[in-house]
Amino acid sequence: MNDSTMADGDADAQAVRMGDRRGEDRSLKAPSRPASSPSHSEEAAQASVEAFVDPKSVGLHDDGVIAVLVRVNVPDQPGVLFTLTRVIFEHRANITYVDISERRAQGIATYFELSDVEDLDGLAADLEALPIVKAVEREPSFGRIYGKRIIVIGGGAQVGQVVLGAVTEADRHNIRGERISVDTIPLVGEEDLAGAVRAVARLPRAVALVMAGSIMGGEVAQAVREVRQQGIIVVSLNMAGSVPDEADLVVTDPVQAGVMTVMAVARTARFDIRRQRGRRY
């Protein structure tokens, strides 16, 4: 092999590495990659960009949301919810969230979050006029109380350390008027983990997911890809398996992962997840 052939080979290798950094050819990967370079596929990254919902705009922007708790004096049975929502429809109010929060022998309580309510007093009076309704109570919305939700899923030890960082950082921002809550579930097993990850997209006000474990891949990685396409930010610990390749951000230290996730969703922080996508720390 002559010098020119070796030089050409070096140039080709360098081109592959540069192309991988720019996202121009993710199918060609150099044997080693700098820690700060993107690791997930171009297709997944593009889908995430298209589905991106700025988490800093979620949570406290609900000044127009009216929350009411309707206590019903009949057992949980077919037709109760229909009766209540018919009155709401007649007032042309929009139901943004509903939850049957209590189920007891003497009656049930149904929680509504409503928008476009022009006459709250009239709506409450019409609901109270129903024979099945015992009381209508005005409540603060879940967004005003619990705000944005960060979900931490994975192994118990790693989950605990991520929560330590997340709760410590959330405290700093909640004192300044933000509202961020942290939920956790320690799990093992590919099927259970994948199911839990997919369920995050169905959780009210969930904006970010932290994958905390030592090895995750397969169906779990596919689930991570799906929730990112639905607008959920995913932060992963630096672990074995393919899950880190699907995450928005990979952080080695679990406490720092919790801190950075909170910073990514807090309006009171200047951290921008869009500038950190694909990086590993």
Side-chain angles (χ1 to χ4, degrees):
M1 180 179 295
N2 57 37
D3 292 342
S4 60
T5 303
M6 293 178 65
D8 291 341
D10 291 342
D12 291 340
Q14 179 67 17
V16 169
R17 287 193 291 269
M18 293 301 293
D20 184 58
R21 291 194 190 100
R22 293 192 301 265
E24 295 171 357
D25 188 356
R26 299 301 176 98
S27 64
L28 297 176
K29 295 184 178 180
S32 61
R33 179 173 50 216
S36 62
S37 61
S39 58
H40 48 330
S41 68
E42 184 177 16
E43 180 180 354
Q46 181 62 32
S48 176
V49 171
E50 294 174 354
F52 179 75
V53 177
D54 187 0
K56 297 181 185 294
S57 67
V58 177
L60 294 180
H61 292 279
D62 62 347
D63 293 337
V65 174
I66 303 297
V68 294
L69 186 68
V70 182
R71 299 190 181 276
V72 179
N73 55 18
V74 297
D76 188 8
Q77 61 188 23
V80 173
L81 187 60
F82 167 76
T83 302
L84 301 178
T85 55
R86 182 177 60 186
V87 173
I88 295 173
F89 167 75
E90 290 172 352
H91 279 260
R92 294 297 187 266
N94 182 43
I95 300 174
T96 59
Y97 179 75
V98 61
D99 180 46
I100 301 176
S101 56
E102 299 178 15
R103 289 184 174 89
R104 299 177 180 175
Q106 65 270 30
I108 61 174
T110 305
Y111 171 81
F112 292 98
E113 290 187 359
L114 311 171
S115 63
D116 303 325
V117 179
E118 296 182 357
D119 181 9
L120 178 58
D121 292 337
L123 173 59
D126 287 347
L127 286 170
E128 289 178 332
L130 295 172
I132 64 172
V133 173
K134 179 167 56 177
V136 177
E137 303 171 6
R138 175 76 184 271
E139 301 288 348
S141 70
F142 283 149
R144 298 295 299 181
I145 299 174
Y146 293 108
K148 308 159 191 173
R149 298 171 69 183
I150 295 173
I151 314 299
V152 186
I153 296 177
Q158 290 93 339
V159 165
Q161 291 300 299
V162 171
V163 171
L164 174 63
V167 171
T168 302
E169 183 68 15
D171 179 68
R172 295 178 58 247
H173 296 281
N174 288 351
I175 287 174
R176 291 182 280 169
E178 179 64 272
R179 284 294 181 271
I180 298 171
S181 55
V182 182
D183 297 329
T184 69
I185 179 168
L187 282 176
V188 295
E190 182 177 1
E191 183 177 351
D192 289 341
L193 283 168
V197 169
R198 290 189 172 100
V200 172
R202 303 194 299 271
L203 289 175
R205 307 178 320 283
V207 295
L209 167 66
V210 184
M211 302 302 296
S214 56
I215 178 171
M216 294 183 189
E219 189 65 19
V220 183
Q222 174 62 32
V224 168
R225 186 182 307 118
E226 292 172 9
V227 297
R228 286 188 65 229
Q229 291 172 352
Q230 296 177 69
I232 301 294
I233 291 174
V234 179
V235 176
S236 172
L237 296 189
N238 195 6
M239 66 178 84
S242 53
V243 161
D245 293 337
E246 299 297 338
D248 290 285
L249 178 65
V250 179
V251 183
T252 299
D253 181 73
V255 175
Q256 188 65 25
V259 170
M260 294 179 75
T261 304
V262 171
M263 292 174 63
V265 306
R267 289 193 305 165
T268 46
R270 301 182 64 181
F271 185 90
D272 189 344
I273 189 65
R274 287 169 291 190
R275 296 184 178 182
Q276 301 298 322
R277 273 215 171 95
R279 295 188 177 275
R280 295 184 181 230
Y281 293 98

